[in-house]
Short mmCIF file of all heavy atoms in Angstrom, two decimals:
data_model
loop_
_atom_site.label_atom_id
_atom_site.label_comp_id
_atom_site.label_asym_id
_atom_site.label_seq_id
_atom_site.Cartn_x
_atom_site.Cartn_y
_atom_site.Cartn_z
N PRO A 151 81.91 77.11 80.10
CA PRO A 151 82.72 77.64 78.98
C PRO A 151 82.70 76.76 77.74
O PRO A 151 82.83 77.25 76.64
CB PRO A 151 84.12 77.73 79.58
CG PRO A 151 83.90 77.83 81.06
CD PRO A 151 82.66 77.03 81.34
N ASN A 152 82.56 75.43 77.91
CA ASN A 152 82.62 74.52 76.76
C ASN A 152 81.30 74.44 76.00
O ASN A 152 81.23 73.89 74.93
CB ASN A 152 83.03 73.11 77.22
CG ASN A 152 84.42 73.10 77.82
OD1 ASN A 152 85.26 73.89 77.41
ND2 ASN A 152 84.65 72.23 78.79
N PHE A 153 80.24 74.94 76.59
CA PHE A 153 78.92 74.84 75.97
C PHE A 153 78.88 75.70 74.70
O PHE A 153 79.27 76.85 74.70
CB PHE A 153 77.87 75.30 76.97
CG PHE A 153 76.47 75.26 76.44
CD1 PHE A 153 75.81 74.05 76.25
CD2 PHE A 153 75.81 76.44 76.11
CE1 PHE A 153 74.52 74.03 75.77
CE2 PHE A 153 74.52 76.42 75.62
CZ PHE A 153 73.86 75.20 75.45
N ALA A 154 78.39 75.12 73.61
CA ALA A 154 78.24 75.83 72.33
C ALA A 154 79.55 76.50 71.90
O ALA A 154 79.57 77.67 71.53
CB ALA A 154 77.12 76.86 72.42
N HIS A 155 80.64 75.71 71.97
CA HIS A 155 81.96 76.18 71.53
C HIS A 155 82.41 77.44 72.27
O HIS A 155 83.09 78.29 71.70
CB HIS A 155 81.97 76.42 70.02
CG HIS A 155 81.52 75.24 69.24
ND1 HIS A 155 82.28 74.10 69.08
CD2 HIS A 155 80.34 75.01 68.58
CE1 HIS A 155 81.62 73.22 68.36
NE2 HIS A 155 80.44 73.74 68.05
N GLY A 156 81.99 77.56 73.51
CA GLY A 156 82.45 78.69 74.32
C GLY A 156 81.63 79.96 74.14
O GLY A 156 81.86 80.95 74.82
N LEU A 157 80.65 79.96 73.21
CA LEU A 157 79.88 81.18 72.98
C LEU A 157 78.99 81.54 74.17
O LEU A 157 78.59 82.69 74.33
CB LEU A 157 79.03 81.04 71.72
CG LEU A 157 79.82 80.93 70.41
CD1 LEU A 157 78.88 80.72 69.24
CD2 LEU A 157 80.65 82.19 70.19
N ALA A 158 78.69 80.54 74.98
CA ALA A 158 77.83 80.82 76.14
C ALA A 158 78.48 81.81 77.09
O ALA A 158 77.80 82.51 77.83
CB ALA A 158 77.49 79.53 76.88
N SER A 159 79.82 81.84 77.08
CA SER A 159 80.51 82.74 78.00
C SER A 159 80.29 84.20 77.61
O SER A 159 80.62 85.10 78.37
CB SER A 159 82.01 82.44 78.04
OG SER A 159 82.57 82.67 76.77
N LEU A 160 79.72 84.44 76.41
CA LEU A 160 79.40 85.81 76.04
C LEU A 160 78.19 86.32 76.80
O LEU A 160 77.98 87.53 76.90
CB LEU A 160 79.10 85.88 74.53
CG LEU A 160 80.27 85.61 73.58
CD1 LEU A 160 79.73 85.43 72.17
CD2 LEU A 160 81.25 86.75 73.62
N GLN A 161 77.36 85.41 77.28
CA GLN A 161 76.07 85.80 77.85
C GLN A 161 76.12 85.69 79.36
O GLN A 161 76.30 84.63 79.92
CB GLN A 161 74.97 84.88 77.31
CG GLN A 161 74.96 84.80 75.79
CD GLN A 161 74.21 83.56 75.33
OE1 GLN A 161 73.60 82.87 76.13
NE2 GLN A 161 74.25 83.29 74.04
N ILE A 162 75.92 86.82 80.01
CA ILE A 162 75.74 86.81 81.47
C ILE A 162 74.26 86.95 81.72
O ILE A 162 73.59 87.75 81.05
CB ILE A 162 76.55 87.96 82.13
CG1 ILE A 162 78.05 87.70 81.92
CG2 ILE A 162 76.24 88.08 83.61
CD1 ILE A 162 78.95 88.77 82.49
N PRO A 163 73.69 86.18 82.64
CA PRO A 163 72.23 86.19 82.83
C PRO A 163 71.69 87.60 83.02
O PRO A 163 72.29 88.43 83.70
CB PRO A 163 72.04 85.35 84.10
CG PRO A 163 73.27 84.50 84.19
CD PRO A 163 74.37 85.28 83.56
N HIS A 164 70.53 87.85 82.43
CA HIS A 164 69.88 89.16 82.52
C HIS A 164 69.55 89.47 83.98
O HIS A 164 69.02 88.63 84.71
CB HIS A 164 68.59 89.15 81.68
CG HIS A 164 67.85 90.46 81.75
ND1 HIS A 164 68.28 91.59 81.12
CD2 HIS A 164 66.71 90.79 82.43
CE1 HIS A 164 67.43 92.58 81.37
NE2 HIS A 164 66.47 92.12 82.17
N GLY A 165 69.92 90.68 84.43
CA GLY A 165 69.59 91.09 85.80
C GLY A 165 70.57 90.60 86.86
O GLY A 165 70.38 90.88 88.04
N ALA A 166 71.60 89.87 86.44
CA ALA A 166 72.60 89.41 87.42
C ALA A 166 73.26 90.61 88.09
O ALA A 166 73.56 91.61 87.43
CB ALA A 166 73.65 88.54 86.73
N THR A 167 73.48 90.55 89.40
CA THR A 167 74.06 91.68 90.13
C THR A 167 75.49 91.35 90.58
O THR A 167 75.85 90.19 90.78
CB THR A 167 73.22 92.04 91.37
OG1 THR A 167 73.09 90.88 92.19
CG2 THR A 167 71.85 92.54 90.97
N VAL A 168 76.27 92.41 90.76
CA VAL A 168 77.66 92.26 91.16
C VAL A 168 77.74 91.78 92.60
O VAL A 168 77.10 92.34 93.50
CB VAL A 168 78.41 93.60 91.03
CG1 VAL A 168 79.85 93.46 91.53
CG2 VAL A 168 78.40 94.10 89.60
N LYS A 169 78.53 90.72 92.82
CA LYS A 169 78.76 90.24 94.19
C LYS A 169 80.05 90.83 94.75
O LYS A 169 80.13 91.19 95.92
CB LYS A 169 78.83 88.72 94.21
CG LYS A 169 78.92 88.15 95.62
CD LYS A 169 78.96 86.64 95.65
CE LYS A 169 78.98 86.14 97.08
NZ LYS A 169 79.19 84.69 97.14
N ARG A 170 81.10 90.95 93.90
CA ARG A 170 82.38 91.50 94.35
C ARG A 170 82.98 92.37 93.24
O ARG A 170 82.73 92.15 92.05
CB ARG A 170 83.40 90.40 94.68
CG ARG A 170 83.03 89.55 95.88
CD ARG A 170 84.24 88.70 96.31
NE ARG A 170 83.86 87.70 97.27
CZ ARG A 170 83.60 86.42 96.98
NH1 ARG A 170 83.71 86.02 95.73
NH2 ARG A 170 83.28 85.57 97.92
N MET A 171 83.79 93.33 93.67
CA MET A 171 84.52 94.18 92.72
C MET A 171 85.98 94.24 93.16
O MET A 171 86.26 94.33 94.36
CB MET A 171 83.92 95.58 92.68
CG MET A 171 84.61 96.52 91.70
SD MET A 171 84.09 98.24 91.89
CE MET A 171 85.03 98.70 93.35
N TYR A 172 86.91 94.19 92.20
CA TYR A 172 88.34 94.23 92.50
C TYR A 172 89.01 95.34 91.69
O TYR A 172 88.74 95.48 90.49
CB TYR A 172 89.01 92.91 92.13
CG TYR A 172 88.43 91.69 92.81
CD1 TYR A 172 87.40 90.97 92.22
CD2 TYR A 172 88.94 91.25 94.04
CE1 TYR A 172 86.87 89.84 92.84
CE2 TYR A 172 88.42 90.12 94.66
CZ TYR A 172 87.38 89.43 94.05
OH TYR A 172 86.86 88.32 94.67
#
Side-chain angles (χ1 to χ4, degrees):
N152 297 329
F153 179 73
H155 306 287
L157 294 178
S159 64
L160 293 168
Q161 307 160 8
I162 295 179
H164 179 74
T167 56
V168 177
K169 186 179 182 187
R170 293 193 191 98
M171 181 190 77
Y172 303 90

